[in-house]
Structures are given as C-alpha cells and as structure tokens.
Amino acid sequence: MSLPRSGTASLLIALFAVAGAEAQVLGIGITKGGANPAIGSAIASIVSRHTDMRMRTQAFSSGTRYAPLMDIGEVEFGVGNLSQFALLMQGEFTPNDRPKPNMRLVASLMPFRGGFLVKESSDIRSFADLKGRRVAAGFPGQPLASGVHKAFLANGGLTYEDVVPVPATTMRSHWELFKEGRIDGVMVVVGSGVVKEIRATLGEELRYLSMDNSAESLVKLRDALPGAYFVTIGPNPNLDGAAKQFATLAYDYGLWSGADVPDDTVYRVVKALHQNSDEFRSVGPLMRLYNAEGISRPQVVPYHPGALCYFKEAGLPLVRSN
C-alpha cells in the first residue's frame, strides 16, 4: 500500500528534520600555521567520532580573527593559548583592541614551553647579557611574540630600549634572522622541530638561557603574559639546547568557546575530549604533554558552565568560574 503523495512529502520532511537534528555542525577556529591546525583538527576529529555532533575546522590568519567571532557567537569554538586569549578578553592584546567578555575557556590542554636560544659559542649567559645586543622586535603578524620577547627581556631587568631592535614580522621571519646572523638570540617552543632546523643550518650547538624563576620575577612575567608560569627543563641530552638544566616560561593552550554556546553542547565536547585523551595525545609530540587530569586546571579566565558541569560529574578538581 503506497502512501498518499502528501503523506510521502510529510514523511520525507520529518526524516530530514531528524537527520538535521542528529548532525549538529560546530565550527572550531584554527590558524593557518604552527601547531594550532593539528590541535584543532585532533579535537574536531574526536568530537565528530565520539559524539552525535560534527565539528569542522575553520582556518583564519590568526587567533585575533576568530576570537571576536566567538565573542559574538558566529564561531562556536576555537583553540589558542591562554595568555593571548586572556589579553584578547581584556581588550589589551593590541593598542586598538576592544574587550571580548563573551569568551569562555572550555578545557585546559597542554603547556607551550617558550625558550630563548643563543649559540653555544655565544658569550650571552643570562637575559641581562642581552643589553646592547640585537633582538627581534615588532611582530605585527604575531603580536604575542612581541609580548613574550618583552617578558624575556624583563626577566633580565631590560626593555627594548636597552637592546638593538631588529624588525621582524612573524616568528618564522625572526628564525630566519637568527640563521642569517642578524640577531643574537631567538625565541622558540622548546622541543619544536624548528630547533633542529636552526641547529642544522648553523652547524653549531645551541643553548637555552635560564630565567630567574623567583616569586618577584613571576609577578613581572604575569604582567606581560597573564596565566604564564615558570617550568624547569633538563638536563636532557636528547633535547637540543638542553644539555644543562634551565628555567623558562610556559603558558597553557586551551579550547575556547563563546559564552552563548549551549551548556549541553560544551558538556559533550569536553566529555569526548577527556574520555579520549589517549587519542588526542597520539597526534604529535606537543600533544603528548597533555594531561587529562589537568583539563580543569585553575586559570585566570572563567570556564564555561557546561565544562564545569562535566568536571563535577567526572570528579575532576573544580575551579571557580569568575
């Protein structure tokens, strides 16, 4: 017995409605370069594989492009480091920045450990020794790089007025300056592939400068980079530049969302990420630093209520939502 034409149409409409409801599509903002795309793609894959939602990456030139879209609800999620996004929330990332109060942290991920390298043969032994030396400056394409450089200089009691600034546009461009011998030190993510690249180009061993990690210095560090902290690394003969133990700065990477993303949606995203942590860690060396039990680490920014709900259910340490 066939259905009347009108009944068939009604049935098809109902089926499409159900399919649409089951296939909620979420956007996650990522940048076009660096480790960011791999992090965002891994999260999108986990959410799509382990929930009834579909998450799709949306690539932008920088986090400063998709943070405002999360703030106004046009992109649901995004990945980015805590220091940069905290400054974006405060409207203090660039001189003409505006506050973005509707961003929320969803999950704390792994630390980005930033280090400052010099040649092993260099007579620069501390950050104070950078006085009068050539240091990359500007970074219009990646403003956070300027903030991290300022934090390194401040650790030695210096500002850009105490060094010879050499214009650079991005992290990549200042790595090239160091390879060419036009600056005297270079900022990198500790353990990243670019360190081996620089070492191979120069044909010389490298050495990380060690930061003063006193309580007083921590206050200065967080003035420049909210939420940053000190870590001690090495000695590690398998890590270029870390033949001796050194202290350096770190800031956490995070998964973010807009405040208006429904609590249940955020809850399910966090649950999928937390319960499939091994899958996330398997993506690459940086993600191996991710500790699932640290997903709810206290931070200087508020967590989304949906994330807090999952943390409570999973018995994870609860953090205060500001």
Side-chain angles (χ1 to χ4, degrees):
M1 177 180 176
S2 61
L3 288 171
R5 188 178 299 274
S6 60
T8 303
S10 297
L11 178 60
L12 288 174
I13 291 171
L15 289 173
F16 281 127
V18 170
E22 291 178 349
Q24 180 184 4
V25 179
L26 305 169
I28 179 170
I30 61 171
T31 63
K32 294 180 179 178
N36 188 296
I39 297 169
S41 296
I43 294 171
S45 175
I46 288 170
V47 171
S48 297
R49 284 163 52 84
H50 300 287
T51 74
D52 59 358
M53 303 179 292
R54 297 293 174 263
M55 184 175 278
R56 300 286 183 262
T57 57
Q58 297 176 242
F60 297 81
S61 58
S62 72
T64 59
R65 300 296 184 186
Y66 54 84
L69 298 179
M70 283 194 291
D71 184 61
I72 63 175
E74 291 191 8
V75 173
E76 291 90 352
F77 293 89
V79 290
N81 74 74
L82 191 110
S83 293
Q84 176 179 346
F85 277 48
L87 290 169
L88 284 166
M89 288 181 70
Q90 298 165 13
E92 298 176 359
F93 189 56
T94 59
N96 298 318
D97 203 3
R98 294 182 179 179
K100 299 163 189 65
N102 297 317
M103 290 168 52
R104 295 291 181 270
L105 186 60
V106 168
S108 294
L109 301 176
M110 58 281 159
F112 257 38
R113 304 174 298 174
F116 196 88
L117 283 169
V118 296
K119 295 178 181 179
E120 176 59 49
S121 60
S122 172
D123 61 353
I124 299 172
R125 297 289 168 182
S126 70
F127 285 99
D129 291 341
L130 289 173
K131 186 173 183 177
R133 303 303 181 98
R134 301 165 301 169
V135 177
F139 298 98
Q142 291 178 295
L144 183 67
S146 180
V148 177
H149 271 80
K150 290 176 182 177
F152 281 132
L153 291 173
N155 194 257
L158 306 176
T159 69
Y160 267 115
E161 293 182 357
D162 299 305
V163 299
V164 179
V166 179
T169 54
T170 63
M171 288 281 285
R172 168 60 63 179
S173 70
H174 102 290
W175 297 333
E176 297 302 321
L177 290 173
F178 186 63
K179 292 178 189 177
E180 296 165 6
R182 296 167 60 189
I183 54 177
D184 296 306
V186 65
M187 182 182 76
V188 297
V189 175
V190 177
S192 64
V194 73
V195 181
K196 293 186 180 297
E197 176 187 320
I198 292 171
R199 178 175 172 269
T201 300
L202 295 177
E204 182 176 344
E205 295 297 329
L206 304 170
R207 169 170 43 85
Y208 286 102
L209 295 185
S210 188
M211 301 184 77
D212 170 14
N213 59 359
S214 65
E216 180 181 356
S217 293
L218 181 60
V219 172
K220 294 179 181 178
L221 173 64
R222 289 180 171 168
D223 281 344
L225 299 170
Y229 51 93
F230 291 118
V231 292
T232 300
I233 299 173
N236 185 345
N238 298 316
L239 190 64
D240 288 320
K244 295 181 180 179
Q245 186 179 81
F246 66 99
T248 193
L249 62 82
Y251 42 82
D252 290 341
Y253 227 72
L255 173 62
W256 301 76
S257 76
D260 294 334
V261 176
D263 292 1
D264 180 63
T265 299
V266 172
Y267 169 93
R268 287 185 288 160
V269 167
V270 177
K271 182 177 181 179
L273 180 59
H274 183 249
Q275 294 189 348
N276 297 279
S277 296
D278 289 345
E279 186 175 329
F280 182 70
R281 281 195 295 266
S282 70
V283 173
L286 176 63
M287 278 66 96
R288 284 199 289 270
L289 296 174
Y290 166 65
N291 175 7
E293 299 310 305
I295 198 171
S296 63
R297 276 192 299 276
Q299 302 289 9
V300 296
V301 296
Y303 278 89
H304 193 287
L308 292 172
C309 181
Y310 176 74
F311 298 158
K312 182 177 181 180
E313 178 186 284
L316 294 166
L318 284 178
V319 296
R320 181 173 60 88
S321 182
N322 297 324

